[in-house]
Every structure is written in C-alpha cells, then in structure tokens.
Amino acid sequence: MERRPFPLTFSVRENEGGAGVWQVAACAAQAGELADLLAATANGAVAVVSLETNSYLDEDWQPLPPSLIAADLGVPCTVHPLGSWTSGTHGLAEELLVMDRALLPRFLDGTWSPYELSLIDVPADVSADRLDELALTLGTARDGEPLLGRLEDSRVWFSGHDDCYVLLETRDPALPAAVLARLLALLAGSALTGLAEGPSVRVPEPGPGPTGQLIAAAPHWIGALGEVTEDLVTIALAALPRPWRLGVAFPQRADFTAAFDVRSGIWRIMPAE
C-alpha cells in the first residue's frame, strides 16, 4: 500500500509424520524464474493443472485455454480434457497439459505472466486414468492440505499466485535451499538492474551450503535490500517467529547479512554485526 517493494520471504517445514516432503512458501519470484529448478526436480513429465493469465485473452477478454497458449508458444504437449465438472474448482482447469519436463522453461519463457498457475510432475508414461485420479485428488484436497503425501509418484508440486507468491512441495531435500539461493540472486539482480545500462543483469547464486545453513538456523526468513552500489549489494536477513504474511514489516535488526561482490561474483552470508 505504501509502494514498498516486496521483500524476500522464505518459509520451509517438513511434513509432520516424517513423510520426507518439504513445504515452502516464498516470494518474490515469477514462475518462469523457478522453472529450471522445478524441471530438474520433476519426474519425466510435468502436468499443468491450473492456469489463469491476462497475457492471452480471446475476443471476449477471457483467458485462452492452456492448450492454445502452449500452441502459440510452440510447446508440444498432450492435452487431457477433464470436462465441466472442474468448473469453479480452485487450482484445477478443465484441461491438463502434460509436457516433457525439459520443456517447462520453454513454456514459462518470461514473455507472458500467469497470475494463477499450478503444476505437478508425473511419470513420462502417465496414463489417462492416472491423470483423472490426479485431478480428483487435487480437486478434493482441503485448503492447506499437503498433496504429495497422497501422490506417491510425484516429486514436486508448485503453485504460483500473482506471479509473485510461491507455494511448493517437494521430496527433494535440496530444492528448498536452491529456491532460497535463487531468491537472493533475484533480489540482488533487481537492485543492480536499476544501475545498469542494459535491460537485465546476470547474478550468480550463492552455493547450497550458505542457504542450507540459514535454513538450519531458522525456518522462516525475511530479507530487504541494504547497501546497493555498482560494486556491492547487501541484503539484510532476519529470522521470523512464524511464516511471513503481507503487511509484516522487517524487524528492527537483522540476524544475517548476504553480501554480493559484483566484480568477483562471490556471495558471503555471515552473521550481522
């Protein structure tokens, strides 16, 4: 409301019962900015199960079906119709798109923006009957209910909102730290873009070790830009007692500082002074 930029926020927890499933809530990242991480974690194929966007509208100003969006982008996929029973079901479209996992970055190529997107990985040889079962599971899940515990052949579920907020579940214990590293690189890059002459800046990510140490120290984090120059970007990081909610301000002091040396491309994450 005060036109402040979205902070970096990150929360992770392992499902109760030791099911080996991690849940992550984070911002700010567009779906396309995480596509390669999701594809690398996925099984052989990815099913796009929900998609809303204002980037592709028909003559009545209604979003095009996902299959026509994929066709326009030149992304080969299999279309699995579900029918009108899914109408009005949150997180489930009337058709599913199934594509090879390697095509996901091509589908989410940054030329358009979904304000609602959900996807889940499936085996490359997934059957039509299995897709119907998948849709039934997703369509009947309670709000906030962990999904991968009911979908044993899936490794990652992603839901993005306003192309900013991130919710995901994964069986890959390395993915949460990779997402946090990507968020740090995105925030630093957004700051440097304003100083650069070109339209974008390429920023490497910190290794999994430092972000893994942050996660080990606390499950809930918020980050805000500190010093920004052509040579250095710092991000103040503070642990939160609970997951971040819109409107929660940065605490009065930071717990850690992430510093990116622009010239060397090296990150340092250290306790705040």
PDB file of all heavy atoms in Angstrom, residues 108-140:
ATOM      1  N   LEU A 108       7.324 -21.531 -19.783  1.00  0.00           N
ATOM      2  CA  LEU A 108       7.378 -20.351 -18.905  1.00  0.00           C
ATOM      3  C   LEU A 108       8.596 -19.520 -19.294  1.00  0.00           C
ATOM      4  O   LEU A 108       9.564 -19.389 -18.549  1.00  0.00           O
ATOM      5  CB  LEU A 108       7.453 -20.787 -17.442  1.00  0.00           C
ATOM      6  CG  LEU A 108       6.287 -21.637 -16.952  1.00  0.00           C
ATOM      7  CD1 LEU A 108       6.571 -22.183 -15.549  1.00  0.00           C
ATOM      8  CD2 LEU A 108       4.985 -20.838 -16.966  1.00  0.00           C
ATOM      9  N   ASP A 109       8.534 -18.936 -20.488  1.00  0.00           N
ATOM     10  CA  ASP A 109       9.721 -18.317 -21.078  1.00  0.00           C
ATOM     11  C   ASP A 109       9.903 -16.852 -20.735  1.00  0.00           C
ATOM     12  O   ASP A 109      10.821 -16.198 -21.234  1.00  0.00           O
ATOM     13  CB  ASP A 109       9.692 -18.490 -22.597  1.00  0.00           C
ATOM     14  CG  ASP A 109       8.533 -17.745 -23.259  1.00  0.00           C
ATOM     15  OD1 ASP A 109       7.711 -17.155 -22.532  1.00  0.00           O
ATOM     16  OD2 ASP A 109       8.441 -17.789 -24.501  1.00  0.00           O
ATOM     17  N   GLY A 110       9.030 -16.279 -19.892  1.00  0.00           N
ATOM     18  CA  GLY A 110       9.173 -14.896 -19.490  1.00  0.00           C
ATOM     19  C   GLY A 110       8.515 -13.889 -20.406  1.00  0.00           C
ATOM     20  O   GLY A 110       8.519 -12.693 -20.113  1.00  0.00           O
ATOM     21  N   THR A 111       7.931 -14.333 -21.518  1.00  0.00           N
ATOM     22  CA  THR A 111       7.252 -13.410 -22.426  1.00  0.00           C
ATOM     23  C   THR A 111       5.808 -13.157 -22.025  1.00  0.00           C
ATOM     24  O   THR A 111       5.139 -12.317 -22.614  1.00  0.00           O
ATOM     25  CB  THR A 111       7.277 -13.944 -23.869  1.00  0.00           C
ATOM     26  OG1 THR A 111       6.562 -15.201 -23.936  1.00  0.00           O
ATOM     27  CG2 THR A 111       8.713 -14.160 -24.336  1.00  0.00           C
ATOM     28  N   TRP A 112       5.313 -13.887 -21.028  1.00  0.00           N
ATOM     29  CA  TRP A 112       3.935 -13.715 -20.568  1.00  0.00           C
ATOM     30  C   TRP A 112       3.901 -14.009 -19.080  1.00  0.00           C
ATOM     31  O   TRP A 112       4.865 -14.519 -18.511  1.00  0.00           O
ATOM     32  CB  TRP A 112       2.985 -14.638 -21.334  1.00  0.00           C
ATOM     33  CG  TRP A 112       3.280 -16.108 -21.156  1.00  0.00           C
ATOM     34  CD1 TRP A 112       4.321 -16.799 -21.685  1.00  0.00           C
ATOM     35  CD2 TRP A 112       2.523 -17.038 -20.391  1.00  0.00           C
ATOM     36  NE1 TRP A 112       4.278 -18.119 -21.285  1.00  0.00           N
ATOM     37  CE2 TRP A 112       3.174 -18.291 -20.494  1.00  0.00           C
ATOM     38  CE3 TRP A 112       1.360 -16.942 -19.621  1.00  0.00           C
ATOM     39  CZ2 TRP A 112       2.695 -19.433 -19.866  1.00  0.00           C
ATOM     40  CZ3 TRP A 112       0.886 -18.081 -19.003  1.00  0.00           C
ATOM     41  CH2 TRP A 112       1.559 -19.311 -19.131  1.00  0.00           C
ATOM     42  N   SER A 113       2.789 -13.667 -18.439  1.00  0.00           N
ATOM     43  CA  SER A 113       2.731 -13.764 -16.980  1.00  0.00           C
ATOM     44  C   SER A 113       1.433 -14.441 -16.542  1.00  0.00           C
ATOM     45  O   SER A 113       0.350 -13.938 -16.825  1.00  0.00           O
ATOM     46  CB  SER A 113       2.819 -12.367 -16.364  1.00  0.00           C
ATOM     47  OG  SER A 113       2.703 -12.427 -14.959  1.00  0.00           O
ATOM     48  N   PRO A 114       1.518 -15.566 -15.851  1.00  0.00           N
ATOM     49  CA  PRO A 114       0.326 -16.172 -15.264  1.00  0.00           C
ATOM     50  C   PRO A 114       0.062 -15.604 -13.873  1.00  0.00           C
ATOM     51  O   PRO A 114       0.982 -15.470 -13.071  1.00  0.00           O
ATOM     52  CB  PRO A 114       0.694 -17.660 -15.178  1.00  0.00           C
ATOM     53  CG  PRO A 114       2.175 -17.666 -15.004  1.00  0.00           C
ATOM     54  CD  PRO A 114       2.703 -16.429 -15.692  1.00  0.00           C
ATOM     55  N   TYR A 115      -1.175 -15.231 -13.601  1.00  0.00           N
ATOM     56  CA  TYR A 115      -1.463 -14.776 -12.236  1.00  0.00           C
ATOM     57  C   TYR A 115      -1.939 -15.926 -11.361  1.00  0.00           C
ATOM     58  O   TYR A 115      -2.102 -15.772 -10.158  1.00  0.00           O
ATOM     59  CB  TYR A 115      -2.471 -13.621 -12.222  1.00  0.00           C
ATOM     60  CG  TYR A 115      -3.877 -13.938 -12.700  1.00  0.00           C
ATOM     61  CD1 TYR A 115      -4.803 -14.561 -11.863  1.00  0.00           C
ATOM     62  CD2 TYR A 115      -4.287 -13.587 -13.979  1.00  0.00           C
ATOM     63  CE1 TYR A 115      -6.089 -14.842 -12.298  1.00  0.00           C
ATOM     64  CE2 TYR A 115      -5.572 -13.857 -14.420  1.00  0.00           C
ATOM     65  CZ  TYR A 115      -6.472 -14.476 -13.575  1.00  0.00           C
ATOM     66  OH  TYR A 115      -7.740 -14.752 -14.005  1.00  0.00           O
ATOM     67  N   GLU A 116      -2.161 -17.071 -11.963  1.00  0.00           N
ATOM     68  CA  GLU A 116      -2.508 -18.278 -11.210  1.00  0.00           C
ATOM     69  C   GLU A 116      -1.974 -19.460 -12.001  1.00  0.00           C
ATOM     70  O   GLU A 116      -2.312 -19.637 -13.162  1.00  0.00           O
ATOM     71  CB  GLU A 116      -4.019 -18.398 -11.050  1.00  0.00           C
ATOM     72  CG  GLU A 116      -4.469 -19.439 -10.040  1.00  0.00           C
ATOM     73  CD  GLU A 116      -4.408 -18.922  -8.617  1.00  0.00           C
ATOM     74  OE1 GLU A 116      -4.579 -17.715  -8.404  1.00  0.00           O
ATOM     75  OE2 GLU A 116      -4.180 -19.749  -7.719  1.00  0.00           O
ATOM     76  N   LEU A 117      -1.110 -20.249 -11.396  1.00  0.00           N
ATOM     77  CA  LEU A 117      -0.514 -21.387 -12.097  1.00  0.00           C
ATOM     78  C   LEU A 117      -0.230 -22.487 -11.093  1.00  0.00           C
ATOM     79  O   LEU A 117       0.355 -22.234 -10.046  1.00  0.00           O
ATOM     80  CB  LEU A 117       0.792 -20.970 -12.787  1.00  0.00           C
ATOM     81  CG  LEU A 117       1.614 -22.107 -13.406  1.00  0.00           C
ATOM     82  CD1 LEU A 117       0.922 -22.658 -14.649  1.00  0.00           C
ATOM     83  CD2 LEU A 117       3.018 -21.629 -13.756  1.00  0.00           C
ATOM     84  N   SER A 118      -0.654 -23.692 -11.414  1.00  0.00           N
ATOM     85  CA  SER A 118      -0.324 -24.858 -10.597  1.00  0.00           C
ATOM     86  C   SER A 118       0.164 -25.965 -11.512  1.00  0.00           C
ATOM     87  O   SER A 118      -0.392 -26.169 -12.602  1.00  0.00           O
ATOM     88  CB  SER A 118      -1.536 -25.349  -9.790  1.00  0.00           C
ATOM     89  OG  SER A 118      -1.957 -24.383  -8.858  1.00  0.00           O
ATOM     90  N   LEU A 119       1.175 -26.671 -11.079  1.00  0.00           N
ATOM     91  CA  LEU A 119       1.695 -27.791 -11.859  1.00  0.00           C
ATOM     92  C   LEU A 119       2.238 -28.850 -10.925  1.00  0.00           C
ATOM     93  O   LEU A 119       2.579 -28.570  -9.769  1.00  0.00           O
ATOM     94  CB  LEU A 119       2.755 -27.317 -12.855  1.00  0.00           C
ATOM     95  CG  LEU A 119       3.982 -26.580 -12.311  1.00  0.00           C
ATOM     96  CD1 LEU A 119       5.093 -27.541 -11.893  1.00  0.00           C
ATOM     97  CD2 LEU A 119       4.508 -25.606 -13.358  1.00  0.00           C
ATOM     98  N   ILE A 120       2.330 -30.054 -11.440  1.00  0.00           N
ATOM     99  CA  ILE A 120       2.840 -31.179 -10.670  1.00  0.00           C
ATOM    100  C   ILE A 120       3.519 -32.137 -11.627  1.00  0.00           C
ATOM    101  O   ILE A 120       3.121 -32.244 -12.800  1.00  0.00           O
ATOM    102  CB  ILE A 120       1.700 -31.883  -9.891  1.00  0.00           C
ATOM    103  CG1 ILE A 120       2.257 -32.860  -8.854  1.00  0.00           C
ATOM    104  CG2 ILE A 120       0.718 -32.568 -10.835  1.00  0.00           C
ATOM    105  CD1 ILE A 120       1.221 -33.329  -7.842  1.00  0.00           C
ATOM    106  N   ASP A 121       4.551 -32.810 -11.168  1.00  0.00           N
ATOM    107  CA  ASP A 121       5.239 -33.733 -12.059  1.00  0.00           C
ATOM    108  C   ASP A 121       4.553 -35.094 -12.046  1.00  0.00           C
ATOM    109  O   ASP A 121       3.911 -35.492 -11.070  1.00  0.00           O
ATOM    110  CB  ASP A 121       6.704 -33.878 -11.664  1.00  0.00           C
ATOM    111  CG  ASP A 121       6.896 -34.581 -10.334  1.00  0.00           C
ATOM    112  OD1 ASP A 121       6.167 -34.242  -9.370  1.00  0.00           O
ATOM    113  OD2 ASP A 121       7.764 -35.472 -10.232  1.00  0.00           O
ATOM    114  N   VAL A 122       4.671 -35.786 -13.166  1.00  0.00           N
ATOM    115  CA  VAL A 122       4.073 -37.101 -13.351  1.00  0.00           C
ATOM    116  C   VAL A 122       5.059 -37.960 -14.120  1.00  0.00           C
ATOM    117  O   VAL A 122       5.972 -37.446 -14.776  1.00  0.00           O
ATOM    118  CB  VAL A 122       2.734 -37.011 -14.116  1.00  0.00           C
ATOM    119  CG1 VAL A 122       1.671 -36.299 -13.292  1.00  0.00           C
ATOM    120  CG2 VAL A 122       2.918 -36.323 -15.470  1.00  0.00           C
ATOM    121  N   PRO A 123       4.894 -39.288 -14.094  1.00  0.00           N
ATOM    122  CA  PRO A 123       5.760 -40.138 -14.916  1.00  0.00           C
ATOM    123  C   PRO A 123       5.592 -39.822 -16.398  1.00  0.00           C
ATOM    124  O   PRO A 123       4.526 -39.392 -16.845  1.00  0.00           O
ATOM    125  CB  PRO A 123       5.276 -41.554 -14.584  1.00  0.00           C
ATOM    126  CG  PRO A 123       4.623 -41.431 -13.241  1.00  0.00           C
ATOM    127  CD  PRO A 123       3.999 -40.070 -13.220  1.00  0.00           C
ATOM    128  N   ALA A 124       6.644 -40.042 -17.173  1.00  0.00           N
ATOM    129  CA  ALA A 124       6.590 -39.741 -18.601  1.00  0.00           C
ATOM    130  C   ALA A 124       5.515 -40.553 -19.308  1.00  0.00           C
ATOM    131  O   ALA A 124       4.934 -40.099 -20.295  1.00  0.00           O
ATOM    132  CB  ALA A 124       7.959 -40.005 -19.230  1.00  0.00           C
ATOM    133  N   ASP A 125       5.232 -41.757 -18.820  1.00  0.00           N
ATOM    134  CA  ASP A 125       4.240 -42.621 -19.459  1.00  0.00           C
ATOM    135  C   ASP A 125       2.904 -42.599 -18.718  1.00  0.00           C
ATOM    136  O   ASP A 125       2.152 -43.574 -18.738  1.00  0.00           O
ATOM    137  CB  ASP A 125       4.755 -44.057 -19.541  1.00  0.00           C
ATOM    138  CG  ASP A 125       5.097 -44.629 -18.152  1.00  0.00           C
ATOM    139  OD1 ASP A 125       5.093 -43.861 -17.166  1.00  0.00           O
ATOM    140  OD2 ASP A 125       5.361 -45.850 -18.071  1.00  0.00           O
ATOM    141  N   VAL A 126       2.574 -41.478 -18.064  1.00  0.00           N
ATOM    142  CA  VAL A 126       1.350 -41.397 -17.275  1.00  0.00           C
ATOM    143  C   VAL A 126       0.134 -41.692 -18.154  1.00  0.00           C
ATOM    144  O   VAL A 126       0.036 -41.244 -19.293  1.00  0.00           O
ATOM    145  CB  VAL A 126       1.239 -40.004 -16.616  1.00  0.00           C
ATOM    146  CG1 VAL A 126       1.116 -38.894 -17.656  1.00  0.00           C
ATOM    147  CG2 VAL A 126       0.095 -39.959 -15.633  1.00  0.00           C
ATOM    148  N   SER A 127      -0.792 -42.465 -17.611  1.00  0.00           N
ATOM    149  CA  SER A 127      -1.986 -42.860 -18.359  1.00  0.00           C
ATOM    150  C   SER A 127      -3.107 -41.853 -18.151  1.00  0.00           C
ATOM    151  O   SER A 127      -3.093 -41.047 -17.211  1.00  0.00           O
ATOM    152  CB  SER A 127      -2.453 -44.245 -17.908  1.00  0.00           C
ATOM    153  OG  SER A 127      -2.898 -44.205 -16.566  1.00  0.00           O
ATOM    154  N   ALA A 128      -4.116 -41.920 -19.022  1.00  0.00           N
ATOM    155  CA  ALA A 128      -5.285 -41.055 -18.891  1.00  0.00           C
ATOM    156  C   ALA A 128      -6.017 -41.326 -17.580  1.00  0.00           C
ATOM    157  O   ALA A 128      -6.493 -40.389 -16.916  1.00  0.00           O
ATOM    158  CB  ALA A 128      -6.219 -41.248 -20.080  1.00  0.00           C
ATOM    159  N   ASP A 129      -6.110 -42.594 -17.199  1.00  0.00           N
ATOM    160  CA  ASP A 129      -6.775 -42.928 -15.937  1.00  0.00           C
ATOM    161  C   ASP A 129      -6.027 -42.332 -14.758  1.00  0.00           C
ATOM    162  O   ASP A 129      -6.654 -41.831 -13.799  1.00  0.00           O
ATOM    163  CB  ASP A 129      -6.871 -44.445 -15.779  1.00  0.00           C
ATOM    164  CG  ASP A 129      -7.896 -45.078 -16.711  1.00  0.00           C
ATOM    165  OD1 ASP A 129      -8.730 -44.325 -17.263  1.00  0.00           O
ATOM    166  OD2 ASP A 129      -7.849 -46.305 -16.895  1.00  0.00           O
ATOM    167  N   ARG A 130      -4.696 -42.354 -14.808  1.00  0.00           N
ATOM    168  CA  ARG A 130      -3.917 -41.785 -13.702  1.00  0.00           C
ATOM    169  C   ARG A 130      -4.099 -40.275 -13.639  1.00  0.00           C
ATOM    170  O   ARG A 130      -4.133 -39.693 -12.541  1.00  0.00           O
ATOM    171  CB  ARG A 130      -2.431 -42.132 -13.875  1.00  0.00           C
ATOM    172  CG  ARG A 130      -1.573 -41.678 -12.692  1.00  0.00           C
ATOM    173  CD  ARG A 130      -1.902 -42.484 -11.460  1.00  0.00           C
ATOM    174  NE  ARG A 130      -1.204 -41.968 -10.288  1.00  0.00           N
ATOM    175  CZ  ARG A 130      -1.766 -41.258  -9.323  1.00  0.00           C
ATOM    176  NH1 ARG A 130      -3.060 -40.959  -9.389  1.00  0.00           N
ATOM    177  NH2 ARG A 130      -1.066 -40.849  -8.288  1.00  0.00           N
ATOM    178  N   LEU A 131      -4.227 -39.619 -14.774  1.00  0.00           N
ATOM    179  CA  LEU A 131      -4.466 -38.177 -14.779  1.00  0.00           C
ATOM    180  C   LEU A 131      -5.836 -37.845 -14.191  1.00  0.00           C
ATOM    181  O   LEU A 131      -5.993 -36.840 -13.487  1.00  0.00           O
ATOM    182  CB  LEU A 131      -4.338 -37.621 -16.191  1.00  0.00           C
ATOM    183  CG  LEU A 131      -2.921 -37.598 -16.775  1.00  0.00           C
ATOM    184  CD1 LEU A 131      -2.956 -37.183 -18.236  1.00  0.00           C
ATOM    185  CD2 LEU A 131      -2.008 -36.669 -15.973  1.00  0.00           C
ATOM    186  N   ASP A 132      -6.833 -38.691 -14.462  1.00  0.00           N
ATOM    187  CA  ASP A 132      -8.147 -38.487 -13.849  1.00  0.00           C
ATOM    188  C   ASP A 132      -8.053 -38.627 -12.331  1.00  0.00           C
ATOM    189  O   ASP A 132      -8.659 -37.846 -11.580  1.00  0.00           O
ATOM    190  CB  ASP A 132      -9.154 -39.490 -14.409  1.00  0.00           C
ATOM    191  CG  ASP A 132      -9.600 -39.145 -15.819  1.00  0.00           C
ATOM    192  OD1 ASP A 132      -9.507 -37.969 -16.199  1.00  0.00           O
ATOM    193  OD2 ASP A 132     -10.047 -40.065 -16.540  1.00  0.00           O
ATOM    194  N   GLU A 133      -7.299 -39.631 -11.871  1.00  0.00           N
ATOM    195  CA  GLU A 133      -7.124 -39.816 -10.433  1.00  0.00           C
ATOM    196  C   GLU A 133      -6.390 -38.626  -9.820  1.00  0.00           C
ATOM    197  O   GLU A 133      -6.730 -38.172  -8.715  1.00  0.00           O
ATOM    198  CB  GLU A 133      -6.341 -41.102 -10.177  1.00  0.00           C
ATOM    199  CG  GLU A 133      -7.080 -42.381 -10.568  1.00  0.00           C
ATOM    200  CD  GLU A 133      -6.195 -43.606 -10.453  1.00  0.00           C
ATOM    201  OE1 GLU A 133      -5.025 -43.453 -10.009  1.00  0.00           O
ATOM    202  OE2 GLU A 133      -6.654 -44.705 -10.806  1.00  0.00           O
ATOM    203  N   LEU A 134      -5.394 -38.117 -10.542  1.00  0.00           N
ATOM    204  CA  LEU A 134      -4.652 -36.948 -10.078  1.00  0.00           C
ATOM    205  C   LEU A 134      -5.585 -35.755  -9.929  1.00  0.00           C
ATOM    206  O   LEU A 134      -5.557 -35.049  -8.905  1.00  0.00           O
ATOM    207  CB  LEU A 134      -3.533 -36.631 -11.069  1.00  0.00           C
ATOM    208  CG  LEU A 134      -2.775 -35.317 -10.862  1.00  0.00           C
ATOM    209  CD1 LEU A 134      -1.999 -35.346  -9.556  1.00  0.00           C
ATOM    210  CD2 LEU A 134      -1.825 -35.059 -12.029  1.00  0.00           C
ATOM    211  N   ALA A 135      -6.414 -35.525 -10.932  1.00  0.00           N
ATOM    212  CA  ALA A 135      -7.345 -34.390 -10.883  1.00  0.00           C
ATOM    213  C   ALA A 135      -8.321 -34.544  -9.725  1.00  0.00           C
ATOM    214  O   ALA A 135      -8.652 -33.560  -9.043  1.00  0.00           O
ATOM    215  CB  ALA A 135      -8.101 -34.289 -12.206  1.00  0.00           C
ATOM    216  N   LEU A 136      -8.792 -35.756  -9.477  1.00  0.00           N
ATOM    217  CA  LEU A 136      -9.715 -35.983  -8.372  1.00  0.00           C
ATOM    218  C   LEU A 136      -9.043 -35.694  -7.034  1.00  0.00           C
ATOM    219  O   LEU A 136      -9.642 -35.070  -6.143  1.00  0.00           O
ATOM    220  CB  LEU A 136     -10.234 -37.415  -8.413  1.00  0.00           C
ATOM    221  CG  LEU A 136     -11.289 -37.782  -7.361  1.00  0.00           C
ATOM    222  CD1 LEU A 136     -12.529 -36.918  -7.545  1.00  0.00           C
ATOM    223  CD2 LEU A 136     -11.645 -39.264  -7.457  1.00  0.00           C
ATOM    224  N   THR A 137      -7.793 -36.105  -6.895  1.00  0.00           N
ATOM    225  CA  THR A 137      -7.061 -35.843  -5.653  1.00  0.00           C
ATOM    226  C   THR A 137      -6.872 -34.344  -5.439  1.00  0.00           C
ATOM    227  O   THR A 137      -7.107 -33.817  -4.346  1.00  0.00           O
ATOM    228  CB  THR A 137      -5.690 -36.534  -5.688  1.00  0.00           C
ATOM    229  OG1 THR A 137      -5.877 -37.956  -5.799  1.00  0.00           O
ATOM    230  CG2 THR A 137      -4.896 -36.238  -4.426  1.00  0.00           C
ATOM    231  N   LEU A 138      -6.470 -33.638  -6.496  1.00  0.00           N
ATOM    232  CA  LEU A 138      -6.257 -32.201  -6.377  1.00  0.00           C
ATOM    233  C   LEU A 138      -7.565 -31.461  -6.137  1.00  0.00           C
ATOM    234  O   LEU A 138      -7.623 -30.508  -5.350  1.00  0.00           O
ATOM    235  CB  LEU A 138      -5.584 -31.669  -7.648  1.00  0.00           C
ATOM    236  CG  LEU A 138      -4.173 -32.187  -7.946  1.00  0.00           C
ATOM    237  CD1 LEU A 138      -3.700 -31.668  -9.293  1.00  0.00           C
ATOM    238  CD2 LEU A 138      -3.202 -31.777  -6.854  1.00  0.00           C
ATOM    239  N   GLY A 139      -8.612 -31.901  -6.803  1.00  0.00           N
ATOM    240  CA  GLY A 139      -9.888 -31.204  -6.700  1.00  0.00           C
ATOM    241  C   GLY A 139     -10.610 -31.407  -5.391  1.00  0.00           C
ATOM    242  O   GLY A 139     -11.488 -30.619  -5.039  1.00  0.00           O
ATOM    243  N   THR A 140     -10.250 -32.455  -4.659  1.00  0.00           N
ATOM    244  CA  THR A 140     -10.927 -32.738  -3.389  1.00  0.00           C
ATOM    245  C   THR A 140     -10.046 -32.460  -2.174  1.00  0.00           C
ATOM    246  O   THR A 140     -10.469 -32.702  -1.051  1.00  0.00           O
ATOM    247  CB  THR A 140     -11.390 -34.206  -3.343  1.00  0.00           C
ATOM    248  OG1 THR A 140     -10.261 -35.076  -3.518  1.00  0.00           O
ATOM    249  CG2 THR A 140     -12.421 -34.485  -4.437  1.00  0.00           C
TER     250      THR A 140
END
